[in-house]
Amino acid sequence: MSEPVWILGVSMLKFGRYPDKDVVDLGSEAALNAMTDAGVTIHDMGVMGVGCLYESNAMVGQRIQKQIGQTGIPVYNVANACATGASALRTVILTIKSGEADMGLAIGVEQMGKMGLLGGAARARTDEEGYERSGRYGAVMGTEGILGTNLMPGVFAQAGMEYANKYDGVGFEQFAKVAEKNHRHSELNPLAQYQKVFSLEEVMGAPMISYPNTLLMCCPTGDGAAAAVVVSDAKLKTLSIEQQKRAVKVAASVLTSDPWTEDGQVQPDVNTLTRNAADKAYELAGVGPQDLNLVELHDCFATAELLHYQNLRLCEDGGAGEFIDSGAPRRDGRTPVNVSGGLISKGHPLGATGIANVFEVTTHLRGEAGDRQVEGARVGMTHVIGLGSACSIHILERAAT
């Protein structure tokens, strides 16, 4: 990334249930808060990127404009599974890097309520009586998983068990430790959907959803919004010293999709595209995993977080079990992971998550995270993955000013 771009302002609404508001209300509130945090107004924006998955065909961005100010700027409405918000942010970043705008607004918003279990793709076929290969993917039956599931808990449960079968030192307890950690972290985050601490025994003893993920190892659905103001390097230099001091550099912005893998034809491969994105992000930012002071990664299930320790190069191959056992990803550990409480406790309104992760890391790099502050944080990573698949990684750095 030749000329840097900067996060100038961020905001996040507490994730939860908002029965008296809609996506326009939620997105507008987050947008106005982010611009207030940045010290700018809608008239300073040259582009908007708005991520909303379940109303992706409803022109959410333009509807938000009608509530916060219609200035005629281009609006991109983005949908990219769980990477929707991060993709909207990347759209704004790329627009600014292209020189088409010097400041822009990215919004991620979703109103899900109690949507229930979600699948990663449409059924491969509808004729359940036949067992001959047919359809777009040559499927024999209308399922996307080897074990016969098209629901997220089963997909990520299987991915976790494949890792556990391949490497020693990983079992039910290591997966449960991920959730216990994140629930404990959420106690310090007033914006988390849930802020309740559970013991390891309570996590392991909760109702089983899809082994090894119990109920307390699965993220909840809900409502929420987050927003970020992005500014070019040249424009930032014209702003006040206080704005420059609080700006956070976007050292890398990466988006990947699935490369072809044989296993990926029947079971979504959540690993390869994440590893590819991480390697590219480290190359662009000129840093390595050892330089990260905190990471907000996509822990839709406890099994997912443990897998991504290795995928993001936070541990050596086969070392994810030892990594969680050692306490390395705890807030006071070597590489704090999901100090916000992660998706497991913070919540996961799909379109909002990617920018909410950027909000969290930005807040720590500014030294404004309060009781959950990771002391001395200078470099952080955000990561989201949406089955289908899309993976987005951003590496952020504290301003040197």
Side-chain angles (χ1 to χ4, degrees):
M1 299 179 72
S2 53
E3 291 297 324
V5 296
W6 300 79
I7 303 294
L8 186 65
V10 288
S11 74
M12 172 187 163
L13 305 188
K14 178 181 173 66
F15 288 174
R17 313 276 187 233
Y18 291 90
D20 299 328
K21 297 183 178 181
D22 62 13
V23 291
V24 175
D25 295 324
L26 297 172
S28 297
E29 184 176 347
L32 292 171
N33 290 345
M35 289 187 288
T36 298
D37 182 63
V40 296
T41 74
I42 189 64
H43 299 286
D44 297 302
M45 301 302 115
V47 62
M48 278 179 61
V50 180
C52 183
L53 190 60
Y54 283 96
E55 293 191 34
S56 58
N57 64 344
M59 304 297 278
V60 172
Q62 284 82 349
R63 290 159 61 200
I64 289 175
Q65 273 195 321
K66 291 180 180 179
Q67 195 146 310
I68 67 174
Q70 293 175 272
T71 59
I73 60 175
V75 176
Y76 296 92
N77 290 291
V78 178
N80 214 8
C82 296
T84 290
S87 298
L89 174 63
R90 178 168 164 78
T91 300
V92 173
I93 289 171
L94 292 177
T95 301
I96 291 174
K97 287 186 66 64
S98 75
E100 290 189 15
D102 57 18
M103 194 179 297
L105 177 63
I107 305 167
V109 60
E110 207 76 67
Q111 188 164 45
M112 301 176 69
K114 294 186 177 181
M115 189 168 283
L117 298 177
L118 304 176
R123 293 176 67 84
R125 56 179 294 175
T126 56
D127 179 9
E128 297 181 357
E129 297 181 358
Y131 292 93
E132 297 295 324
R133 288 183 175 272
S134 65
R136 185 183 300 274
Y137 303 112
V140 175
M141 297 182 67
T143 59
E144 70 184 13
I146 296 171
L147 299 181
T149 179
N150 68 346
L151 297 178
M152 297 293 188
V155 170
F156 281 95
Q158 182 170 319
M161 290 307 295
E162 287 178 352
Y163 188 91
N165 289 333
K166 184 175 182 179
Y167 298 109
D168 294 332
V170 177
F172 184 33
E173 183 173 329
Q174 280 66 45
F175 292 123
K177 284 182 177 179
V178 170
E180 183 275 329
K181 167 185 70 71
N182 291 351
H183 285 297
R184 185 168 298 279
H185 284 172
S186 71
E187 184 183 26
L188 299 177
N189 185 5
L191 298 180
Q193 186 165 343
Y194 297 106
Q195 297 168 255
K196 185 175 181 180
V197 173
F198 295 94
S199 68
L200 184 62
E201 291 72 23
E202 288 175 315
V203 172
M204 297 174 72
M208 186 61 65
I209 301 300
S210 185
Y211 188 85
N213 288 314
T214 69
L215 180 64
L216 293 176
M217 298 159 71
C218 304
C219 70
T221 60
D223 312 332
V229 174
V230 183
V231 64
S232 70
D233 190 61
K235 181 66 174 179
L236 178 65
K237 291 175 181 176
T238 70
L239 302 180
S240 71
I241 295 299
E242 180 61 24
Q243 287 170 302
Q244 293 181 45
K245 286 182 177 179
R246 296 182 73 243
V248 168
K249 180 182 176 182
V250 180
S253 175
V254 175
L255 182 66
T256 59
S257 61
D258 287 323
W260 189 93
T261 61
E262 185 173 359
D263 289 346
Q265 307 314 296
V266 286
Q267 169 72 13
D269 175 12
V270 301
N271 300 307
T272 307
L273 78 166
T274 297
R275 289 195 293 267
N276 290 348
D279 291 345
K280 183 64 174 179
Y282 289 132
E283 177 187 354
L284 289 172
V287 301
Q290 71 279 359
D291 299 309
L292 300 177
N293 301 121
L294 77 158
V295 176
E296 287 287 309
L297 63 76
H298 198 80
D299 63 317
C300 48
F301 300 91
T303 49
E305 176 166 327
L306 190 132
L307 293 173
H308 294 317
Y309 293 156
Q310 178 168 317
N311 292 331
L312 298 177
R313 317 300 189 185
L314 306 183
C315 66
E316 62 184 16
D317 287 356
E322 181 182 355
F323 189 73
I324 186 65
D325 284 341
S326 71
R330 293 185 178 272
R331 190 171 66 88
D332 57 354
R334 183 175 80 246
T335 309
V337 176
N338 288 333
V339 295
S340 66
L343 279 59
I344 286 175
S345 285
K346 183 179 65 178
H348 185 26
L350 303 187
T353 290
I355 299 180
N357 287 356
V358 170
F359 165 85
E360 183 69 20
V361 171
T362 297
T363 302
H364 284 271
L365 298 183
R366 288 172 164 180
E368 298 173 357
D371 291 340
R372 68 185 187 281
Q373 176 68 45
V374 174
E375 294 302 325
R378 299 196 64 86
V379 182
M381 170 186 281
T382 70
H383 159 264
V384 286
I385 182 171
L387 286 189
S389 297
C391 178
S392 177
I393 288 179
H394 289 88
I395 294 180
L396 307 178
E397 294 182 5
R398 182 178 174 181
T401 304

